[in-house]
Amino acid sequence: MVKVKIVYASITGNDEDIAYVLTEKFEQLGADVEMSEVSQTDASDFEDSDVCVIASYTYDQGIVPEEALDFYDDMQDLDLDGKVYGTCGSGDTFYEDYCRAIDEFASIFEQVGATKGSEPVRVELEPEQEDIDHLDKFAEELMKKAKEMDM
């Protein structure tokens, strides 16, 4: 069974909603899913998973949220070779750095050897039905990649 770890950072509840949508979809796909809030999670938890997912909002001028900074820093010490990753998050297109934090997390995943399983999903504010459809496809692609890698 594919083991999925979803870590989210949410100030408005939008990214927590995204994490719940993904959890439900991964469970429907037969995965063993664990979801947790970033400040309550150790980055090394990703080492025990097959699929690693970050759902995060972007803070201030395109930076990783403050409550996620320690997690972000700790990720840089991981070895995630053989793991599949995906990033997603909410943002507001009013801001120039719309959803930039998910790109920052993707960069770290790449640096520590994880394999990209799907293109990032950017959600304008709270997830609407179209966003949920994109998140479902995102989960399906991550599971497909994990199975291709024989997890």
Side-chain angles (χ1 to χ4, degrees):
M1 178 179 289
V2 175
K3 187 172 181 184
V4 177
K5 177 68 177 178
I6 301 169
V7 179
Y8 69 90
S10 188
I11 198 167
T12 61
N14 293 340
D15 290 279
E16 185 175 11
D17 290 346
I18 289 169
Y20 277 113
V21 167
L22 289 172
T23 296
E24 184 176 308
K25 183 61 178 180
F26 278 118
E27 287 174 345
Q28 289 173 0
L29 295 170
D32 176 16
V33 186
E34 182 180 304
M35 179 183 85
S36 60
E37 196 275 330
V38 70
S39 67
Q40 304 295 314
T41 308
D42 191 281
S44 65
D45 290 354
F46 278 149
E47 294 178 325
D48 298 324
S49 302
D50 302 311
V51 176
C52 310
V53 178
I54 292 277
S56 179
Y57 68 97
T58 299
Y59 187 71
D60 198 19
Q61 295 181 4
I63 61 174
V64 172
E66 185 175 332
E67 70 271 22
L69 287 175
D70 286 341
F71 186 90
Y72 177 82
D73 289 341
D74 291 345
M75 280 183 64
Q76 297 176 50
D77 296 326
L78 301 177
D79 177 2
L80 297 181
D81 186 44
K83 311 291 184 189
V84 173
Y85 81 87
T87 58
C88 56
S90 68
D92 187 337
T93 54
F94 173 81
Y95 295 100
E96 183 178 326
D97 295 310
Y98 175 65
C99 290
R100 183 169 162 204
I102 64 175
D103 297 328
E104 297 296 324
F105 278 109
S107 177
I108 295 298
F109 275 124
E110 291 286 330
Q111 288 175 32
V112 298
T115 300
K116 183 178 182 178
S118 181
E119 291 300 315
V121 175
R122 291 168 171 79
V123 175
E124 172 78 14
L125 303 174
E126 64 187 71
E128 303 291 336
Q129 186 57 53
E130 182 179 357
D131 301 308
I132 292 169
D133 294 343
H134 290 136
L135 291 165
D136 285 349
K137 182 178 179 207
F138 174 78
E140 290 167 359
E141 289 174 354
L142 292 172
M143 287 291 286
K144 180 180 178 190
K145 187 66 166 179
K147 289 177 181 176
E148 286 173 4
M149 294 176 65
D150 200 27
M151 295 179 172

